[in-house]
Amino acid sequence: MIPKTSPGNFFEDFYLGQQIRHATPRTVTLGDAALYNGLFGARFAVQSADVFAQKIGYPRSPLDDLLVFHIVFGKTVADISLNAVANLGYADCRFLKPVFPDATLTATSDVIGLRENSNKKTGIVYVRSRGFDEAGDTVLDFARWVMVRKREEAAAAPAEKIPDLPKNVEPAQLGAACPKINTAAYDTTLAGSPYRFANYNAGDKIDHIDGITVEEAEHQIATRLYQNTARIHFNQFAESKGRFGRRLIYGGHAISVARALSFNGVANAFHVAAINGGRHVAPLFAGDTVFAWSEVLASSEIPNRKDVGALRLRTVATKDRPCPDFPFKVGDEYDPAIILDLDYWVLMPK
């Protein structure tokens, strides 16, 4: 009989220029948005209240930018990272169109780089993935790289190429997913902070103070919400024999926790416009408590936009370590408590 199931792609199954159209189309509903908020507790006003969003220029509350990212990312997992050891990083991630409840999202990926690791057991796969809405418009475009197991250690490696990815998204590329904002109607009291774009400067550091302990059930519910099927997040029978001896929390979970924590300090950063780069420095496991702090790396005007400005933030997340002293690196080495180093652009009203 012909096998009807798929074991997923291993490193030697990929080749440069490969184009993959991912299953499954996903209509994202208010129920999905509510579940996402229940899991992470995000409080940004634009994504929380239709009336607030409508007053400043949206037709209704858009979906949380990171929910869109995770759903598009989730589409790619079955083909790209079902046999992943770990998702390693992101670059050149741009949010290109607002997404509202009842939109249907699909995704494709192109393989843009490959490199076998020296242990011959794994390799790094670089892909550029795109998410589309039901109109066929691109809502999200990003590159990522992931460590994938080989099926057979002795198998020949595919042709090697490490792609040249941009170090950051330029300010002129920001804002496509944000309509013109009526800043006079933007109520900072309801939004939770009096501080607008002009109140932040490069070099500012903000301890987000609060901590969130991640539970086993909730990180699995969140990852299922995105239809992300990577075994390393769910299969304790297999992972008990693996590298860590337990399930690894999806790296995007740490990003969403850190973003939710950042509300206390940048509450008016209502839109994630781009992700310049990100690194999952260390694994996160159930029972760990996540803390975060942010640094303003740059404050930039956006060409032809007088309503919003862009802040380039570095948000650093730790596990079981509060951040009043802003832990980061000693020399070239990260503080042992750090799990995430994320460099991204947010938009904030003027």
Side-chain angles (χ1 to χ4, degrees), residues 3-14 18 20 22 75-84 125 146-152 229-231:
K4 304 299 192 298
T5 57
S6 171
N9 289 318
F10 292 86
F11 178 70
E12 59 266 41
D13 297 323
F14 294 98
Q18 184 177 4
I20 303 170
H22 304 293
K75 302 280 142 253
T76 72
V77 167
D79 299 306
I80 304 299
S81 47
L82 192 63
N83 295 301
V125 181
V146 58
M147 187 186 301
V148 180
R149 295 181 179 89
K150 292 181 69 176
R151 180 185 290 105
E152 297 178 8
T229 56
R231 298 184 183 102

Side-chain angles (χ1 to χ4, degrees), residues 9 49 64-65 96 105 123 132 171 180 217 219 232 264:
N9 289 318
D64 190 287
D65 301 301
L96 301 174
L105 301 178
F132 306 92
K180 181 175 174 56
H219 85 79
I232 198 168
N264 190 354

Side-chain angles (χ1 to χ4, degrees), residues 85 121 149 231-232 234-248:
V85 176
K121 297 179 180 179
R149 295 181 179 89
R231 298 184 183 102
I232 198 168
F234 300 110
N235 190 333
Q236 180 60 27
F237 178 80
E239 294 312 312
S240 66
K241 306 173 183 65
R243 178 183 173 194
F244 300 111
R246 60 187 302 192
R247 286 159 288 187
L248 176 68

Side-chain angles (χ1 to χ4, degrees), residues 26-37 42 44-50 53 58-72 95 97-105 132-134 139 177-179 225-226 259 269-273:
R26 174 71 177 276
T27 300
V28 191
T29 68
L30 283 172
D32 297 315
L35 179 55
Y36 183 84
N37 285 338
F44 295 94
V46 173
Q47 288 78 21
S48 297
D50 280 340
Y58 285 86
R60 62 185 299 192
S61 283
L63 294 172
D64 190 287
D65 301 301
L66 292 180
L67 174 58
V68 172
F69 174 84
H70 296 318
I71 287 176
V72 172
F95 294 84
K97 183 181 178 181
V99 181
F100 299 97
D102 300 323
T104 297
L105 301 178
F132 306 92
D133 64 14
E134 67 280 2
V139 300
C178 178
L225 173 65
Y226 320 135
R259 168 68 173 161
F270 65 89
H271 172 47
V272 177

Side-chain angles (χ1 to χ4, degrees), residues 10-337:
F10 292 86
F11 178 70
E12 59 266 41
D13 297 323
F14 294 98
Y15 57 90
L16 291 172
Q18 184 177 4
Q19 296 180 321
I20 303 170
R21 188 180 179 202
H22 304 293
T24 305
R26 174 71 177 276
T27 300
V28 191
T29 68
L30 283 172
D32 297 315
L35 179 55
Y36 183 84
N37 285 338
L39 290 164
F40 296 103
R43 293 178 284 159
F44 295 94
V46 173
Q47 288 78 21
S48 297
D50 280 340
V51 172
F52 190 100
Q54 289 164 350
K55 283 184 176 179
I56 68 168
Y58 285 86
R60 62 185 299 192
S61 283
L63 294 172
D64 190 287
D65 301 301
L66 292 180
L67 174 58
V68 172
F69 174 84
H70 296 318
I71 287 176
V72 172
F73 183 104
K75 302 280 142 253
T76 72
V77 167
D79 299 306
I80 304 299
S81 47
L82 192 63
N83 295 301
V85 176
N87 189 53
L88 298 178
Y90 316 91
D92 195 27
C93 174
R94 289 165 287 124
F95 294 84
L96 301 174
K97 183 181 178 181
V99 181
F100 299 97
D102 300 323
T104 297
L105 301 178
T106 56
T108 64
S109 293
D110 296 328
V111 178
I112 58 174
L114 294 164
R115 178 175 63 84
E116 185 180 42
N117 288 328
S118 58
N119 63 13
K120 305 296 184 182
K121 297 179 180 179
T122 58
I124 311 300
V125 181
Y126 299 80
V127 297
R128 178 166 292 281
S129 299
R130 296 177 177 86
F132 306 92
D133 64 14
E134 67 280 2
D137 295 331
T138 306
V139 300
L140 178 68
D141 186 322
F142 66 97
R144 71 166 173 131
W145 48 103
V146 58
M147 187 186 301
V148 180
R149 295 181 179 89
K150 292 181 69 176
R151 180 185 290 105
E152 297 178 8
E153 189 173 334
E160 180 173 311
K161 178 183 179 182
I162 299 176
D164 184 17
L165 296 170
K167 300 296 183 184
N168 62 274
V169 178
E170 295 297 327
Q173 297 176 278
L174 304 175
C178 178
K180 181 175 174 56
I181 297 301
N182 180 351
T183 56
Y186 190 98
D187 188 328
T188 55
T189 300
L190 291 180
S193 170
Y195 304 117
R196 296 188 184 225
F197 174 68
N199 299 116
Y200 294 85
N201 299 288
D204 289 352
K205 292 183 177 181
I206 304 161
D207 175 16
H208 300 303
I209 300 177
D210 308 303
I212 295 177
T213 303
V214 182
E215 304 295 350
E216 201 79 82
E218 66 187 14
H219 85 79
Q220 292 181 98
I221 291 170
T223 311
R224 290 190 190 102
L225 173 65
Y226 320 135
Q227 297 178 321
N228 179 334
T229 56
R231 298 184 183 102
I232 198 168
H233 307 315
F234 300 110
N235 190 333
Q236 180 60 27
F237 178 80
E239 294 312 312
S240 66
K241 306 173 183 65
R243 178 183 173 194
F244 300 111
R246 60 187 302 192
R247 286 159 288 187
L248 176 68
I249 291 175
Y250 163 51
H253 198 89
I255 294 175
S256 285
V257 171
R259 168 68 173 161
L261 289 170
S262 76
F263 180 88
N264 190 354
V266 289
N268 291 317
F270 65 89
H271 172 47
V272 177
I275 298 173
N276 297 304
R279 180 177 176 187
H280 296 295
V281 178
L284 178 65
F285 299 102
D288 293 335
T289 298
V290 178
F291 297 87
W293 66 274
S294 294
E295 179 181 4
V296 180
L297 298 178
S299 175
S300 180
E301 300 287 340
I302 301 174
N304 303 314
R305 296 293 295 258
K306 296 182 178 181
D307 53 335
V308 293
L311 296 181
R312 183 176 178 180
L313 301 179
R314 164 181 284 131
T315 293
V316 175
T318 63
K319 59 181 178 182
D320 298 332
R321 189 195 192 288
C323 301
D325 57 342
F326 311 113
F328 189 47
K329 288 183 177 180
V330 178
D332 293 330
E333 298 297 321
Y334 283 96
D335 184 287

